[in-house]
Amino acid sequence: MKISQKGLYALQALMMLTRRYSQGAIRIRDIAYEESLPEKFLELILLELKNARIVESARGAKGGYQLRRPPDEIRLSEIIRLVDGPLAPFGDAEQLRGLITRDADHRALYQVFLDVRDAAAKILENTTLADLMTKPVAGPARRNSKKKGEASVVPLIIHAGGKEGHD
């Protein structure tokens, strides 16, 4: 499973909309500024989330984006699958099950990939945006220590095989 930069931006924006859920629509430039995200890229991400009915937009002076559903009804698995595709190391769960059945020599390897996919899916399917607001975080809080323009995400890459840094 690989979470892209786009996926991280989408999750960050949705977390911000979750924190400000009761405040109504938030302007793109405010989301971009508060989360240190590129505004033009964020616009495309929010449009994709709108088309998937995760957020909705409001026009006018008080316009912007807001969550379409309550944060406790939006699962991380839904967002990641939308933005980054399947959760399996390659293909999808059905493809892996087929490989397990057909390729006896590598069955154990494909089973490990399926187990990784299933474990990640279980966590992501059982975690909502609301959960992210209440989950304890290990280590010191560094949210407010970043400087303007400094990256606010660390890429999360889980490779199924091969060398680090290659797809």
Side-chain angles (χ1 to χ4, degrees):
M1 176 175 80
K2 180 177 179 178
I3 309 292
S4 67
Q5 191 69 50
K6 179 182 174 185
L8 287 171
Y9 286 166
L11 290 165
Q12 285 184 285
L14 289 169
M15 287 179 70
M16 193 268 205
L17 292 176
T18 298
R19 283 191 299 275
R20 295 174 72 185
Y21 181 63
S22 62
Q23 297 176 16
I26 310 295
R27 296 181 310 174
I28 290 177
R29 86 174 59 133
D30 294 336
I31 298 168
Y33 179 79
E34 190 168 316
E35 294 297 321
S36 298
L37 302 175
E39 194 171 327
K40 288 292 182 189
F41 196 45
L42 181 59
E43 214 171 308
L44 297 172
I45 292 169
L46 289 168
L47 183 59
E48 188 172 349
L49 293 169
K50 179 183 173 185
N51 291 336
R53 304 174 67 88
I54 295 171
V55 299
E56 60 188 3
S57 62
R59 294 180 179 261
K62 301 238 181 203
Y65 284 88
Q66 61 192 19
L67 297 178
R68 185 180 179 108
R69 295 178 272 146
D72 63 351
E73 293 180 13
I74 302 172
R75 304 196 175 284
L76 297 187
S77 58
E78 174 184 7
I79 300 158
I80 292 169
R81 282 185 178 113
L82 171 72
V83 177
D84 287 330
L87 301 177
F90 57 89
D92 58 23
E94 286 308 309
Q95 180 186 9
L96 285 171
R97 287 185 189 98
L99 289 169
I100 290 167
T101 303
R102 290 188 311 274
D103 188 348
D105 290 341
H106 302 107
R107 185 171 288 148
L109 175 64
Y110 297 131
Q111 184 61 55
V112 169
F113 290 160
L114 183 60
D115 292 346
V116 167
R117 180 259 170 222
D118 289 347
K122 182 178 179 183
I123 293 167
L124 296 170
E125 287 168 1
N126 289 301
T127 305
T128 66
L129 289 174
D131 293 332
L132 296 178
M133 299 301 110
T134 60
K135 275 191 180 287
V137 177
R142 295 187 181 162
R143 169 102 175 95
N144 294 324
S145 66
K146 68 183 177 190
K147 297 173 188 163
K148 182 71 182 137
E150 185 178 311
S152 60
V153 296
V154 174
L156 171 64
I157 302 171
I158 302 172
H159 291 279
K163 296 182 179 180
E164 294 266 336
H166 297 329
D167 292 329

